[in-house]
Amino acid sequence: MAGNGGLPAGLNLAWSDSRLETALPALVRRDVRPALALLAATREDADRRELYVDVLGGAGQHLLADLRAVADERPDDPDRWLLLGSSLSEASWTARGAAVIEHTSDEQIHGMVNLAEQGRKALRRAADLAPKDPVPWSVLLHCASGSTDDPGELDRIFTRVQELGPDLYSANQVRLGTLTRKWYGSQEQALAFARELTHDLPPGHPLLALIASVHIEGMIDGGMRGNVIGRIWRTMRYLSKKEVRAEVDAASDRLLAGADQYADHPWSMAAHQVFAALYQDIPAHDRARPHLERGGPRPMPWPWGYFGDEVETLAAARKAAGLADG
C-alpha cells in the first residue's frame, strides 16, 4: 500500500537527510545502488547507519528476492547482508500483524517465524563480516523480539549492543518494549530501564524520549487488562497522575534544553515526535508544540500508530498546536 509520494505505507519518515531522500525512492524502484552507497558511507557512523537500515528495511521488505540476489552477488559485503536482514525483519513484523500474540493466527505466526529466522541468519552474517558494527545487533534485537519465546536470547543480543553501541536509539527503544508486561517483563522493569539509561544523559540527547515512551507503554498496558470500563478508566487516568506528568515534563524540558546541540542527530526528530504524541493524547498542546516543531511534518509509525493512522494523527496534532501541515 503506497503513501507519502508513492512510498510504501508504514515507513519511519521522521528524519531530514538529503541522501536518504534520494536512496529511499530509488530502492522502491528496485535500484539498490544508492542504498548500498549510503550504508558503505556510514560504517563509522552507527547512529546514522541504524536510521538508514530502519528506513530502507521498511521499503526493502517489498523486494526480498532482489535483495537476496544482491547479497549472493557479493557474499563478503556486510552492507548487503545488513540491508537484507533488516528487510526480512520488517517483513516478519508485517506478517505478524499488529495484534497481541493471543490474537495472531497460526498462519501469521508461521510466516513471521520463517521470515524472522531468515533475518537472523542474514544479520548474523553481517555481524560476522563486520564484528565492530553494532547495527546488525540492533536490528537483530528488533527481529528476535517479535519471534522468540526465549527472553534470554534478547538479553544476549542486547549485551552485544551495549558492548558495541550502547547509545543506539532504536536498539534501546526496542529493548524498552521487550521489558514491558505485554512482552516479557513488567511496567516496573521498563520504568527502571528508562530511568537508569536517561539519568546521566546530556540535555538534548534523543534517548531522553525513553521516558515518554515508557509512559506511553504504561498507558497502553492499562488498556489491555480487565473489563471494558476498567480499561477505559485506567487509560484515561494514567497520564493524569501528577508523578507521571512531572517525570514526563522534566524529560521534555531536558530534551528541549539541548535541542539545538542535537538537531543534526539522525534520531532527533523521532525523539521529539514521541513526546509530541504523548502530549497530544493528554492533551497538552502547548507542551506538544515545540516537539512538533522539531519533529517535522512527516510521521514515524510508532507511537502515532497507537492512537490511529499515523499520518492523520500527526496532522491533527500539528493543527491543534497551530502548526501548518507541511
Side-chain angles (χ1 to χ4, degrees), residues 173-187:
Q173 286 282 9
V174 171
R175 180 57 170 171
L176 176 68
T178 68
L179 295 174
T180 59
R181 189 185 69 87
K182 68 180 181 182
W183 226 250
Y184 302 107
S186 66
Q187 181 65 6

Side-chain angles (χ1 to χ4, degrees), residues 162-173:
Q162 290 177 302
E163 292 169 352
L164 297 170
D167 292 338
L168 286 179
Y169 180 87
S170 181
N172 282 289
Q173 286 282 9

